[in-house]
Amino acid sequence: MNNFLSKVLKFLALLFSVNLLLFCFVKLFYIKDYEQVDLGFSEFILADSHGIPLSDFSEDYRVHNFSEHGDSYLDMERKIKYLIAETEVDKIYLTVDDHTLSPYRENFNNMDRSAYFSVLSDHQDVVEYVEEKYLEYYIVFLHDKYSLVIRNFIESELFDYTKWGGSKKTSWESLSKEAREYKSRMRIQDFFPNTEKSETLTETLNDIISLCKNNDIELIGIRFPLTESFHENLGSKSFNADSIFYQNELKVLDYDSLFFGQDTLFRDQDHLDAEGGDIFADILFEGAD
């Protein structure tokens, strides 16, 4: 019996060690700085990857950039609840781009990482809360997405030999018109797999609006700049998140066409580069007042 228990304990110790090692890896290459937020601010901007180019430029205007690649309204709602619980929030700038109510964003989000900001009231019961916020978060073997992160890292970083040669990604402005058209169409195809918007994200956006109203937080919508090529290919496609703001008599800052013809300010079809983010921060926050 003692021998059996000894083997079990050794196995558990090995399992714990492997999990700890893998979690450190995931923390370093996937979770990274996701959990970091400066609570010394009272104004925040929340967006998906479109908000990333603003970087820390927003802090010149006393606005903390709380955006992250892949964030959905589900993630943003968690973050807002966390902010309300931890600090005084006066104003929030929130993305209301054409794609933000897409089923694509409902399926590809950061719910695994934003669990860090979740509270018990977000869950049906204590068991679900503990499972999502602690067990799935810290136990790598229970998390399918962590496995994908590890595999993708191995494939893209260790066995992508093109990176070893120092090859650089072609800049957006240097692409041919045909290449820009193609990349724009492919992105739009991802954002708009069909004409039906996500009911879950629509409900969540309405919840965010109510949450801000109930806590006397000024909520302002942002439509981020697009390249002219992307905008032309997009046409009338939109899930109209901004219309929900208008229905609630909320302000929307529409900068879709701000940098048409200035492709040097973009890193791809619908994301600004660092220079573009710097310039846009000045225009955005000076115009918001």
Side-chain angles (χ1 to χ4, degrees), residues 102-115:
S102 170
Y104 167 89
R105 183 53 72 217
E106 179 182 343
N107 297 324
F108 294 92
N109 52 52
N110 288 315
M111 291 297 283
D112 55 328
R113 293 194 285 180
S114 66

Side-chain angles (χ1 to χ4, degrees), residues 144-201:
D144 292 339
K145 197 168 183 180
Y146 286 172
S147 300
L148 288 174
V149 169
I150 295 170
R151 187 185 71 185
N152 288 340
F153 174 82
I154 292 173
E155 291 177 352
S156 64
E157 298 296 330
L158 300 185
F159 293 101
D160 186 354
Y161 301 110
T162 61
K163 293 185 177 182
W164 296 8
S167 58
K168 295 182 179 180
K169 184 178 179 180
T170 305
S171 60
W172 176 254
E173 72 272 14
S174 65
L175 292 175
S176 66
K177 181 180 179 181
E178 291 74 18
R180 279 179 281 175
E181 292 275 326
Y182 175 77
K183 285 182 175 291
S184 295
R185 289 195 300 270
M186 290 301 99
R187 177 88 81 200
I188 292 166
Q189 186 174 308
D190 287 337
F191 285 161
F192 299 91
N194 53 56
T195 59
E196 297 297 323
K197 65 183 178 182
S198 165
E199 293 302 324
T200 297
L201 295 181

Side-chain angles (χ1 to χ4, degrees), residues 35-173:
E35 301 162 358
Q36 293 186 6
V37 55
D38 192 335
L39 298 175
F41 292 80
S42 62
E43 298 185 9
F44 300 85
I45 179 168
L46 283 88
D48 53 15
S49 56
H50 293 83
I52 297 297
L54 289 171
S55 188
D56 295 333
F57 302 125
S58 61
E59 296 189 358
D60 293 338
Y61 299 88
R62 298 301 301 160
V63 179
H64 179 64
N65 190 357
F66 205 8
S67 304
E68 185 54 64
H69 296 281
D71 263 8
S72 70
Y73 287 134
L74 293 165
D75 304 296
M76 296 175 205
E77 182 185 31
R78 283 177 167 178
K79 288 182 172 183
I80 293 171
K81 287 181 177 180
Y82 175 84
L83 292 173
I84 291 171
E86 297 295 328
T87 190
E88 182 177 336
V89 184
D90 295 328
K91 183 186 294 185
I92 287 176
Y93 298 87
L94 189 76
T95 175
V96 288
D97 286 314
D98 294 309
H99 69 284
T100 53
L101 292 178
S102 170
Y104 167 89
R105 183 53 72 217
E106 179 182 343
N107 297 324
F108 294 92
N109 52 52
N110 288 315
M111 291 297 283
D112 55 328
R113 293 194 285 180
S114 66
Y116 176 83
F117 299 108
S118 68
V119 294
L120 180 57
S121 59
D122 290 335
H123 302 80
Q124 294 181 354
D125 51 49
V126 175
V127 174
E128 183 185 81
Y129 172 69
V130 171
E131 179 181 356
E132 183 177 278
K133 184 162 185 174
Y134 297 104
L135 295 183
E136 290 187 4
Y137 187 81
Y138 290 104
I139 302 179
V140 177
F141 305 109
L142 297 179
H143 208 307
D144 292 339
K145 197 168 183 180
Y146 286 172
S147 300
L148 288 174
V149 169
I150 295 170
R151 187 185 71 185
N152 288 340
F153 174 82
I154 292 173
E155 291 177 352
S156 64
E157 298 296 330
L158 300 185
F159 293 101
D160 186 354
Y161 301 110
T162 61
K163 293 185 177 182
W164 296 8
S167 58
K168 295 182 179 180
K169 184 178 179 180
T170 305
S171 60
W172 176 254
E173 72 272 14

Side-chain angles (χ1 to χ4, degrees), residues 13-30:
L14 176 62
L15 203 61
F16 174 81
S17 300
V18 172
N19 183 82
L20 179 62
L21 180 64
L22 291 176
F23 180 76
C24 289
F25 176 88
V26 169
K27 181 84 171 177
L28 180 63
F29 291 101
Y30 176 58

Side-chain angles (χ1 to χ4, degrees), residues 225-282:
L226 304 171
T227 63
E228 194 165 4
S229 172
F230 185 85
H231 189 270
E232 288 177 353
N233 280 277
L234 183 64
S236 62
K237 292 186 178 69
S238 177
F239 291 116
N240 302 308
D242 57 343
S243 68
I244 298 177
F245 267 51
Y246 291 129
Q247 290 165 13
N248 285 273
E249 299 181 342
L250 295 171
K251 186 177 183 179
V252 175
L253 303 174
D254 186 348
Y255 291 108
D256 277 8
S257 59
L258 178 65
F259 295 133
F260 278 5
Q262 300 183 62
D263 286 340
T264 57
L265 298 179
F266 290 86
R267 68 175 175 83
D268 60 25
Q269 55 270 46
D270 59 324
H271 294 89
L272 294 167
D273 61 11
E275 181 186 0
D278 188 4
I279 296 171
F280 181 51
D282 293 334

